[in-house]
Amino acid sequence: MTGATAGWPLWEVFVRAKRGVSHVHAGTVHAPDAELALQNARDLFTRRSEGVSLWVVKSSEITASDPDDRGSLFDPAADKSFRHPTDFVLPDEVANM
Amino acid sequence: MNMGTDPAQARFDELIDADERIEPRDWMPDEYRKTLVRQIAQHAHSEIIGMQPEGNWLTRAPSLRRKAILTAKVQDEAGHGLYLYGAAETLGTPREELLDRLHTGRQKYSSIFNYPTLTWADVGAIGWLVDGAAIMNQVPLCRCSYGPYARAMIRICKEESFHQRQGFQIMLDLANGTPAQREMAQAALDRWWWPSIMMFGPPDADSVHGGQSMRWGIKRFGNDELRQRFIDATVPQADLLGLTIPDPDLHLDEATGHYDHGPIDWDHFWDVVKGNGPCNRSRMETRVGAHERGAWVRDAATAYADKRAALVGEVQETAA
């Protein structure tokens, strides 16, 4: 497509709702640079005071795991339920553990 | 369950059957992708065009507060369009292409927006009835099988409920106002009732794509069922306003608990969809005009970004 915006990259937007919680993915904006990406993200994702902090990251900078690899990628954890505290059954008398 | 020999198809079917979400990098049938691009994009176009009938009253809202509220509502519609374009883009079609399809008439928008807002009461009727019907359609879409669309719908639904309350508040104020205000509210209801119930689309028996969309988890309920739910919810609201719905055949069926209604003029509906509604041309001219008149802003932003990037490049070269 022709036009000025054809070269505008896509940015992923992350919003921190309040101090103490982490930034959560909210969606995407198009912008020619980081400054406008932040402005557009502010206009699009925080009209209802949803955030105290914004991150914008060019979508092309994100490396994602391949869905087809999920089996082998996450397999090592599958047989290690002992990483969960509930896997240990202690006598009822044991308190605070 | 479809036991396709192709493992990708089998995986897709497994996810759909388990009511799990399909995400952008999952394999999906071409038709599923195409159907979603079209549906999500047309939904987005509807939001953008929908800014116009209400935008018409921004400068004439009866008080500063109502002006601010209407501005917030119209901003929300722009935002909803943007969430939806974002969701459509995850399926591989660039933003410019989606806008081009709207501007050249290759994709449509909801034909409810081809009607004019003749009075302030129309702004109230739109919030009450049109946004009300939209909510009825959109809540099930929050559970649509395609992840990005479902998530966009959840955001949209949260914001949409203020829209319906804004509209109903306007209708309440007018219905409880002077006789002239009451008449204006009734006239708006008379104009917007039938187009609003047509928003749910033709009867299921006449709906071509409904079946496949249901099987793929894109559509959760039939048009007739959603239309009935909307009518059942809205009739008591009209009673509360003391206004009369313009359907002499409308009555409560004691046996079913549902409101039966008169015949819907589907010929008129298709005529408007084909381009013969009161505002079809005006909506497109305004949209395309706004896009073209705003080109200098986009050009300036691009030029500035390019200039700054070049400057950074120069500085880095000098430093090296």
Side-chain angles (χ1 to χ4, degrees):
Chain A
M1 287 314 304
T2 56
T5 57
W8 286 17
L10 192 65
W11 305 74
E12 304 292 331
V13 179
F14 300 83
V15 184
R16 190 204 300 281
K18 58 183 179 187
R19 292 184 164 278
V21 300
S22 53
H23 287 75
V24 175
H25 184 253
T28 57
V29 293
H30 282 281
D33 58 31
E35 196 183 331
L36 269 184
L38 268 182
Q39 281 292 311
N40 291 345
R42 189 283 304 267
D43 289 344
L44 192 52
F45 294 109
T46 67
R47 286 195 304 283
R48 285 165 172 78
S49 304
E50 293 98 321
V52 300
S53 167
L54 287 168
W55 287 349
V56 290
V57 180
K58 271 196 199 156
S59 306
S60 57
E61 295 292 343
I62 293 185
T63 304
S65 61
D66 188 336
D68 291 337
D69 288 345
R70 73 186 181 284
S72 55
L73 187 61
F74 300 111
D75 169 73
D79 60 351
K80 301 183 177 68
S81 59
F82 42 74
R83 287 189 170 133
H84 297 281
T86 44
D87 213 51
F88 293 83
V89 181
L90 299 179
D92 290 335
E93 302 81 53
V94 180
N96 303 323
M97 203 173 289
Chain B
M1 180 167 149
N2 181 6
M3 302 295 286
T5 48
D6 174 39
Q9 176 73 56
R11 170 78 179 144
F12 173 82
D13 292 334
E14 192 183 290
L15 289 169
I16 296 287
D17 289 342
D19 201 20
E20 297 250 26
R21 298 291 167 264
I22 307 294
E23 296 294 350
R25 297 189 67 207
D26 289 329
W27 180 91
M28 61 189 80
D30 282 343
E31 265 313 303
Y32 179 83
R33 188 187 300 273
K34 278 204 199 101
T35 299
L36 276 171
V37 169
R38 188 175 185 83
Q39 179 169 330
I40 301 171
Q42 294 194 152
H43 196 162
H45 301 327
S46 300
E47 301 281 358
I48 302 301
I49 300 292
M51 294 167 72
Q52 290 186 38
E54 290 173 295
N56 184 33
W57 280 90
L58 282 174
T59 58
R60 293 174 294 165
S63 68
L64 185 58
R65 178 176 160 77
R66 289 192 179 97
K67 198 163 291 195
I69 291 172
L70 185 57
T71 303
K73 182 170 194 269
V74 174
Q75 283 176 322
D76 271 356
E77 307 301 2
H80 295 176
L82 294 175
Y83 302 149
L84 290 164
Y85 285 130
E89 281 182 299
T90 64
L91 289 161
T93 312
R95 180 73 54 103
E96 278 83 17
E97 172 62 24
L98 298 173
L99 285 177
D100 196 59
R101 291 181 192 179
L102 169 65
H103 298 162
T104 57
R106 277 181 294 152
Q107 279 180 344
K108 297 197 163 301
Y109 53 90
S110 179
S111 63
I112 188 69
F113 299 118
N114 289 317
Y115 296 88
T117 42
L118 299 178
T119 70
W120 174 246
D122 291 54
V123 175
I126 286 180
W128 173 37
L129 300 173
V130 175
D131 286 280
I135 289 170
M136 203 58 85
N137 247 326
Q138 287 169 180
V139 169
L141 284 172
C142 294
R143 289 176 38 238
C144 163
S145 57
Y146 187 57
Y149 193 19
R151 289 190 287 276
M153 291 317 309
I154 291 170
R155 263 202 107 85
I156 288 173
C157 284
K158 273 204 196 129
E159 300 182 356
E160 200 83 49
S161 38
F162 125 61
H163 298 183
Q164 194 182 22
R165 290 169 82 98
Q166 177 254 13
F168 194 73
Q169 183 68 67
I170 291 172
M171 297 303 281
L172 255 181
D173 290 345
L174 291 170
N176 293 324
T178 65
Q181 287 172 331
R182 194 180 183 75
E183 255 174 59
M184 190 184 4
Q186 180 63 61
L189 172 54
D190 290 344
R191 273 195 299 285
W192 288 93
W193 173 254
W194 291 101
S196 296
I197 66 175
M198 289 180 201
M199 280 176 71
F200 297 95
D204 297 316
D206 303 339
S207 184
V208 179
H209 300 293
Q212 184 59 274
S213 285
M214 294 265 217
R215 272 192 295 282
W216 276 333
I218 297 173
K219 196 177 169 66
R220 298 291 186 181
F221 300 102
N223 296 348
D224 296 324
E225 177 168 359
L226 290 175
R227 185 179 2 259
Q228 188 61 59
R229 280 196 209 171
F230 173 72
I231 294 174
D232 291 342
T234 309
V235 174
Q237 292 165 357
D239 290 341
L240 212 85
L241 289 170
L243 298 177
T244 309
I245 290 175
D247 180 358
D249 296 316
L250 189 68
H251 67 275
L252 178 64
D253 180 339
E254 303 282 356
T256 63
H258 296 301
Y259 287 91
D260 292 339
H261 58 84
I264 297 175
D265 186 354
W266 291 111
D267 288 340
H268 165 78
F269 172 79
W270 289 115
D271 200 34
V272 174
V273 168
K274 281 183 178 67
N276 298 320
C279 298
N280 298 54
R281 262 188 299 281
S282 153
R283 297 296 179 234
M284 286 310 301
E285 274 168 20
T286 302
R287 167 81 290 259
V288 175
H291 186 76
E292 288 173 354
R293 284 191 309 277
W296 72 271
V297 178
R298 299 190 292 277
D299 290 345
T302 303
Y304 181 72
D306 288 348
K307 204 154 81 167
R308 286 245 300 230
L311 206 64
V312 169
E314 265 177 45
V315 169
Q316 283 173 347
E317 268 179 42
T318 327

